Amino acid sequence: MARPRKESSPRILAVLNGKGGVGKTTTAVNMAAILSEAQPVLLVDADPQGSASWWVSRNPQPVTFDITTETDATLLGKLKKVNNYSLIVVDTPPALNSDALAAVVPVADYILLPTPPAPMDLAALVNTIKTAIAPSGVAHRVLLTKVDSRSLAEAVEAQQTLNSLNIPACATVIRTYKAHERAALEGVPITQWRGPNGKEARADYYRVAEEIQQDWSLS
């Protein structure tokens, strides 16, 4: 059972995967953008690669959330004390043994774990959940990313595997669109991208946000 959250402190949403290239930063930026439409949101770029900061810095227009870079484990462990935000989204480093990640997990209220549905990616994430996430008692869901819309069978099989292991997963999957790459290159979240397949790409992430907020309403 997930531990209760103090209403006076910001909710902490950590986006986590020990591997790179799984859509972690894309998920963090887009969740921050969508959830900031209704509340003050801070995106913390805790990844030494600084991908989220690089992404947002390319945007000539201001985004709807604030962003800061912070990799110091001591400061990351004090995120609950940050004022002026209802929600803090953390783009965590892709290194399971990092001090930064070890500091974020204990203060998180919810962990979103993006992964492609490929068996090797899924197996690695399942191991991470069993060893590092489930024992923490933090509510979490797996989010299947980079899903080929022409071949959804792999994603369905991955969801069935997770279900058989009693690992919660989002019903929504993030389909692969060039729109995600183009949005990153232009420095905008998918909410601001108006090119080809932008509508479909936005719809996926809005559905994920709805699922997560439904979880929060029940906690």
Side-chain angles (χ1 to χ4, degrees):
M1 182 176 180
R3 45 187 170 68
R5 179 180 68 92
K6 292 182 179 179
E7 291 300 328
S8 59
S9 58
R11 189 188 302 273
I12 310 294
L13 166 62
V15 184
L16 186 157
N17 191 310
K19 291 182 62 178
V22 299
K24 180 175 61 66
T25 296
T26 299
T27 296
V29 169
N30 289 327
M31 294 307 297
I34 291 169
L35 294 169
S36 66
E37 293 175 357
Q39 61 190 315
V41 172
L42 173 66
L43 173 59
V44 176
D45 187 354
D47 187 342
Q49 296 176 3
S51 299
S53 300
W54 173 85
W55 183 329
V56 175
S57 70
R58 298 174 64 83
N59 190 347
Q61 302 297 323
V63 289
T64 54
F65 54 89
D66 291 339
I67 183 169
T68 187
T69 301
E70 187 54 72
T71 57
D72 183 272
T74 301
L75 294 176
L76 289 169
K78 298 178 180 178
L79 286 176
K80 281 291 186 183
K81 298 181 180 180
V82 175
N83 297 319
N84 304 321
Y85 298 98
S86 300
L87 174 68
I88 297 177
V89 179
V90 186
D91 185 17
T92 64
L96 295 177
N97 60 349
S98 71
D99 292 338
L101 192 60
V104 171
V105 171
V107 299
D109 295 291
Y110 197 95
I111 298 175
L112 189 60
L113 302 122
T115 181
M120 288 186 65
D121 291 308
L122 200 64
L125 187 63
V126 166
N127 183 61
T128 297
I129 292 169
K130 287 185 174 181
T131 59
I133 307 305
S136 73
V138 180
H140 56 277
R141 277 190 190 275
V142 173
L143 172 63
L144 297 178
T145 57
K146 300 193 172 185
V147 173
D148 188 340
S149 58
R150 298 166 300 180
S151 178
L152 294 175
E154 188 175 46
V156 171
E157 185 175 340
Q159 287 180 323
Q160 291 172 343
T161 297
L162 291 167
N163 182 60
S164 71
L165 296 171
N166 293 317
I167 295 175
C170 293
T172 303
V173 300
I174 301 300
R175 294 167 290 178
T176 298
Y177 291 115
K178 283 289 185 182
H180 290 301
E181 294 178 23
R182 300 288 176 81
L185 288 173
E186 291 194 14
V188 299
I190 200 63
T191 53
Q192 295 177 10
W193 171 252
R194 293 296 178 265
N197 295 121
K199 182 178 179 180
E200 293 87 349
R202 281 193 299 277
D204 287 350
Y205 271 113
Y206 272 103
R207 283 193 290 266
V208 173
E210 289 175 4
E211 287 193 54
I212 291 175
Q213 289 178 99
Q214 178 65 23
D215 283 349
W216 292 346
S217 71
L218 298 173
S219 63

